[in-house]
Amino acid sequence: MSVDVYQLTIHYLEQDAEGQPRAHQREALISTNAQVCHLLEQLHLAYNGKPAKGYARFSDEKETTMQASVQSWLAQETDFLKLANLATDELIKQLVQHQLTESGYLLIAHYRYLATDYLLFALLGSKEHFSVTPELELASARHLDIARMQLAARIDLTEYQANPQHPHAISFIRGRAGRKVADFFLDFLGCEAGSDAKENSQQVLSSVEEYLTAGEFEPVEKHQVRQQVYQYCEEQSKQGQDVVLKELSEALDPSDQDGFMRYCAEQQLTVAEQFPVDVKSLKPLVKFSGAGAGVSLSFEQKHLGERVLYNPEQDTLTIRGIPPNLKDQLQRFLRGE
């Protein structure tokens, strides 16, 4: 993986005695070295791996504080530290307005991965780690908690500069709070909702199934196609890249690489030519799963009719070859252990 870090600063946000957020800001940028590049590499992977992201674009009706700040910085009218300070002030303002009690280390970075430039805003918490010294004494230190990153947004600068109105040039992690966090980021960045990754992914799911049915594929072929589609989309998501309809069509049916594209056009199916993907929405391509009344089940589609038998008339599932860990639990329970 190749991550080039151009500029980075870190501010610290905390709650004051009145419970209001305030920032301790650096007066200079952090020098770039191998350690900094490794940190941004981990942040990039962690951000790409977050399943629930929203997408947006700057409003074309009015120029907001953040939009003006980013454009001024890109035009080299202001430096990166001033952009970071303005962003921090705007972040605090929106935290107050949205009544979000967040604290931690605010990382603002300009970096490049492969051929794409990004501007990242990430608020990270910290956690304590313990170690043992050579003298067998306990020592502790605080570390950035990258894995639990929940408040972060990123601008694809390469996409934005090529097309300021691109519907997913801006992305953000929705987090567990869902709509509240989405509204916060839309106000913080001064942008409007763009592409809906979940909606686009669900459209792909239904379109692929229609294509398989119309093409009269054999059951084994259907399974292979679903696997290929899912693997392609999953890999794009891990890389932080959009799904491209032409590439998806090639992955779906190598023997007729434009077949899926033609089918979508002929049937007037609304599959976008390029879009961010929500991998979770595509799980039904490869797995059956469900939960209710204290029972949770999940199994790969390829096992239906073989290891897993479904009887719709009796509303039953018969499982052949119970997973070893589940079998062990059942046997121990029956033995009274």
Side-chain angles (χ1 to χ4, degrees):
M1 185 178 205
S2 178
V3 173
D4 298 315
V5 181
Y6 297 126
Q7 298 170 101
L8 168 69
T9 189
I10 301 177
H11 301 324
Y12 182 67
L13 269 61
E14 65 175 358
Q15 304 293 315
D16 62 20
E18 287 74 37
Q20 297 299 308
R22 66 188 184 97
H24 300 274
Q25 300 180 346
R26 284 183 57 89
E27 296 181 356
L29 297 178
I30 294 175
S31 299
T32 300
N33 54 33
Q35 188 177 27
V36 168
C37 291
H38 184 58
L39 169 63
L40 264 296
E41 180 180 317
Q42 290 188 54
L43 282 170
H44 182 81
L45 290 172
Y47 187 88
N48 288 349
K50 293 294 181 179
K53 285 195 279 285
Y55 295 87
R57 60 187 172 193
F58 284 125
S59 173
D60 56 357
E61 295 182 359
K62 61 177 182 178
E63 187 175 76
T64 61
T65 300
M66 283 302 299
Q67 182 178 6
S69 299
V70 170
Q71 289 177 341
S72 178
W73 168 65
L74 288 173
Q76 299 183 345
E77 297 170 355
T78 57
D79 60 25
F80 188 78
L81 193 59
K82 183 174 182 180
L83 168 67
N85 291 340
L86 288 170
T88 302
D89 292 340
E90 184 64 22
L91 185 79
I92 289 176
K93 174 185 173 183
Q94 295 302 330
L95 285 173
V96 173
Q97 290 188 4
H98 287 266
Q99 299 180 336
L100 293 174
T101 55
E102 298 287 343
S103 62
Y105 297 92
L106 177 61
L107 281 78
I108 303 174
H110 172 210
Y111 71 96
R112 169 173 286 193
Y113 169 63
L114 297 180
T116 304
D117 280 34
Y118 296 100
L119 179 60
L120 175 70
F121 306 90
L123 185 61
L124 302 176
S126 60
K127 57 184 179 180
E128 194 166 17
H129 285 248
F130 296 91
S131 61
V132 179
T133 68
E135 294 75 28
L136 302 183
E137 297 288 343
L138 281 177
S140 65
R142 299 202 67 82
H143 296 260
L144 295 174
D145 194 357
I146 294 175
R148 296 179 64 184
M149 173 173 55
Q150 291 295 332
L151 208 61
R154 189 173 70 184
I155 302 175
D156 183 330
L157 295 172
T158 303
E159 199 75 77
Y160 172 67
Q161 289 180 292
N163 177 14
Q165 290 305 304
H166 197 286
H168 47 268
I170 301 171
S171 62
F172 54 89
I173 298 173
R174 289 186 180 276
R176 298 187 183 92
R179 184 69 257 171
K180 187 174 183 179
V181 171
D183 289 340
F184 164 78
F185 274 117
L186 292 176
D187 290 342
F188 161 56
L189 294 169
C191 53
E192 56 191 28
S195 291
D196 189 322
K198 186 174 182 179
E199 183 179 312
N200 284 325
S201 301
Q202 290 174 340
Q203 181 61 50
V204 164
L205 180 64
S206 61
S207 299
V208 167
E209 291 302 328
E210 284 187 34
Y211 177 74
L212 292 176
T213 300
E216 299 181 348
F217 286 74
E218 294 295 325
V220 174
E221 292 177 316
K222 287 184 178 181
H223 172 68
Q224 291 174 343
V225 167
R226 292 183 183 116
Q227 285 281 359
Q228 288 163 189
V229 169
Y230 184 80
Q231 288 172 3
Y232 165 74
C233 292
E234 184 180 41
E235 185 59 31
Q236 292 299 100
S237 177
K238 287 179 179 178
Q239 296 295 327
Q241 302 294 316
D242 290 346
V243 165
V244 179
L245 181 57
K246 180 174 177 56
E247 294 176 357
L248 178 65
S249 184
E250 293 171 358
L252 192 152
D253 190 354
S255 63
D256 184 6
Q257 297 188 347
D258 295 330
F260 182 61
M261 287 182 63
R262 287 199 311 274
Y263 180 80
C264 290
E266 292 167 359
Q267 301 300 316
Q268 298 183 335
L269 301 178
T270 55
V271 180
E273 291 188 5
Q274 184 173 334
F275 58 90
V277 67
D278 176 35
V279 177
K280 187 176 179 180
S281 297
L282 296 177
K283 278 287 185 183
L285 281 171
V286 292
K287 275 191 174 184
F288 291 110
S289 61
V295 176
S296 177
L297 287 173
S298 176
F299 60 92
E300 295 181 16
Q301 278 199 15
K302 65 181 181 181
H303 294 314
L304 186 63
E306 297 178 358
R307 286 184 60 190
V308 182
L309 304 177
Y310 175 48
N311 187 323
E313 296 178 356
Q314 297 181 8
D315 193 28
T316 59
L317 280 178
T318 302
I319 302 174
R320 295 173 177 169
I322 298 173
N325 56 348
L326 175 58
K327 183 177 181 179
D328 180 62
Q329 292 176 60
L330 293 172
Q331 291 177 339
R332 290 166 69 90
F333 179 79
L334 292 176
R335 292 197 302 264
E337 298 180 12

